[in-house]
Amino acid sequence: MTMTFFGILCLISFALLFLIVLTLAFLTKGRTRKLLTAALVLADLGGLLLLLQGRRWHLDNLPWAGQALKAMSVLFMAQVFLVLLTALAVLVRAAYRKWTKPVPFSPARRRLLKGAALYPIAALAPAVYGEAVERNQTVVREYDIPVRGLPASMEGLRLVQLSDVHLGYFYSLDRYRQLLEKSLALDPDFLMLTGDIYDDERINDEAVSLTAAYADRVRHGLWFCLGNHEHHRNAPHILQKLADTPIHVLVNRAEEVPAFPGLWIAGSDYPMNPDKAIFERDKAAYFAKTMEEVPDDAVTILLAHHPEFIDNAAEWHVALTLTGHTHGSQFGFLGMPIPVFKYTRGFVHIGDSYGYVHCGNGSWFPMRIGCPPEIAVFTLRRA
């Protein structure tokens, strides 16, 4: 984790602690309120310390660490929902009292909300659902992609995309194996992995071997580009292991598909500098290097972990750009994601170029509500 992420996480955690203390004033009183406040403060601070110091304490060697982190996520989100529900109830009550013109306010009047005991239950239910249910329910989404100038020989080619598996505490190798089996059952011509797959140095070597075992089962190969988490987990070592496999590893380069002359698969690396200006400079340089050998009239599929490569690809008239990184925000409402990036989820259509931001298969925070993990399937069609 970067220092910026540390700072944001601490700021959010302390803001939540402040809000939960205020919230408990509307739900409990006296000794119960004091005990609950102390318990939640200790739990939140302990959880934050566990998360921030995890690598230093070598949580990889502690079998309970994954379960503890899952419990933390449920408790954290339950508190968020509790704050929101209570705030809504207080506002509704205040509006009702104003409209019905009750007796003048008196500090002695009862401040607690009616049915206060139901609020924690109502808050806990979606938190448990997000961790235990939706996070584990992978959906399959299929799309037709019109491609101008697509040769008849490429009509109907099927590309399956996986992204952001984040193998480790919250995504096991066995679960990854099941995901690959489910993907191959969709009869892909190409299987695309758009980064943040290998995210745990304890199991990365085994994960590479597992992925490689499926490469020869895909008609025209398994293709991979790096994400930022591969860089966090010793990317040179991961690339060395991948080099000994049949996986097509694309780091700022492109390959023409032997079976389909004129079809190129390209892959750009992830620019790791957080400074926006340097990031944009590196992104442009990476993309330019990626496309050096690609003919102007080629049908090109670009793999890039960061969604803003979609803009670079559109300038080049790349037919389809597959990205990830955002996890679709992991939270949504009525089918719409919470917007946290320029492109957060789904399709981006610029001119004759299509881009897609994958919802991800794993999670950095084990919680999904309104944004299940997905297997995305794209069928190329003649425009």
Side-chain angles (χ1 to χ4, degrees), residues 5-278:
F5 182 74
F6 281 166
I8 293 173
L9 189 61
C10 289
L11 182 62
I12 292 173
S13 298
F14 285 114
L16 179 62
L17 277 176
F18 173 74
L19 292 173
I20 202 67
V21 170
L22 293 180
T23 297
L24 290 176
F26 292 95
L27 301 177
T28 60
K29 60 182 179 180
R31 180 180 173 82
T32 302
R33 177 185 170 189
K34 292 179 180 179
L35 288 174
L36 282 176
T37 300
L40 287 176
V41 167
L42 288 174
D44 287 351
L45 292 178
L48 183 63
L49 187 63
L50 177 68
L51 183 62
L52 296 183
Q53 299 296 323
R55 289 296 171 185
R56 185 177 300 174
W57 289 347
H58 303 294
L59 291 187
D60 292 346
N61 299 320
L62 303 176
W64 50 267
Q67 296 304 316
L69 291 171
K70 288 179 184 178
M72 276 173 47
S73 70
V74 171
L75 178 62
F76 179 86
M77 287 309 302
Q79 291 176 79
V80 172
F81 290 130
L82 184 60
V83 168
L84 294 175
L85 286 172
T86 304
L88 179 62
V90 169
L91 290 174
V92 169
R93 184 177 67 176
Y96 173 77
R97 286 178 174 174
K98 182 176 181 180
W99 291 335
T100 56
K101 297 185 173 149
V103 296
F105 175 76
S106 168
R109 291 175 58 201
R110 187 173 184 271
R111 190 183 185 192
L112 296 184
L113 292 170
K114 289 183 178 179
L118 297 177
Y119 285 78
I121 297 173
L124 184 62
V128 171
Y129 164 80
E131 193 286 319
V133 181
E134 185 168 321
R135 186 177 72 87
N136 301 302
Q137 291 187 332
T138 300
V139 300
V140 177
R141 296 190 174 102
E142 299 210 27
Y143 306 99
D144 286 345
I145 306 297
V147 180
R148 185 169 299 173
L150 186 74
S153 62
M154 301 180 197
E155 169 79 21
L157 286 178
R158 288 167 62 83
L159 291 69
V160 169
Q161 181 193 8
L162 306 176
S163 192
D164 298 271
V165 175
H166 289 285
L167 288 164
Y169 286 128
F170 307 133
Y171 213 106
S172 68
L173 286 172
D174 185 60
R175 187 174 171 189
Y176 181 46
R177 183 182 293 105
Q178 294 175 35
L179 177 66
L180 290 169
E181 288 288 352
K182 187 173 182 178
S183 300
L184 264 61
L186 298 170
D187 193 31
D189 293 293
F190 302 87
L191 181 57
M192 311 302 204
L193 306 181
T194 49
D196 281 8
I197 307 299
Y198 310 108
D199 197 16
D200 191 328
E201 293 182 52
R202 299 173 304 161
I203 60 174
N204 280 346
D205 287 2
E206 188 177 353
V208 168
S209 298
L210 174 60
T211 309
Y214 285 84
D216 289 333
R217 294 174 56 183
V218 185
R219 271 192 292 275
H220 301 293
L222 193 156
W223 305 71
F224 169 78
C225 72
L226 289 168
N228 55 310
H229 278 252
E230 275 85 20
H231 284 285
H232 292 319
R233 304 289 180 250
N234 195 353
H237 177 79
I238 293 171
L239 291 173
Q240 182 183 10
K241 290 294 182 182
L242 287 166
D244 296 328
T245 73
I247 298 168
H248 298 265
V249 180
L250 303 173
V251 183
N252 297 332
R253 69 184 193 89
E255 289 185 23
E256 186 175 24
V257 180
F260 299 98
L263 176 62
W264 287 72
I265 312 294
S268 291
D269 197 1
Y270 187 97
M272 290 298 291
N273 196 306
D275 181 271
K276 183 63 175 176
I278 298 176

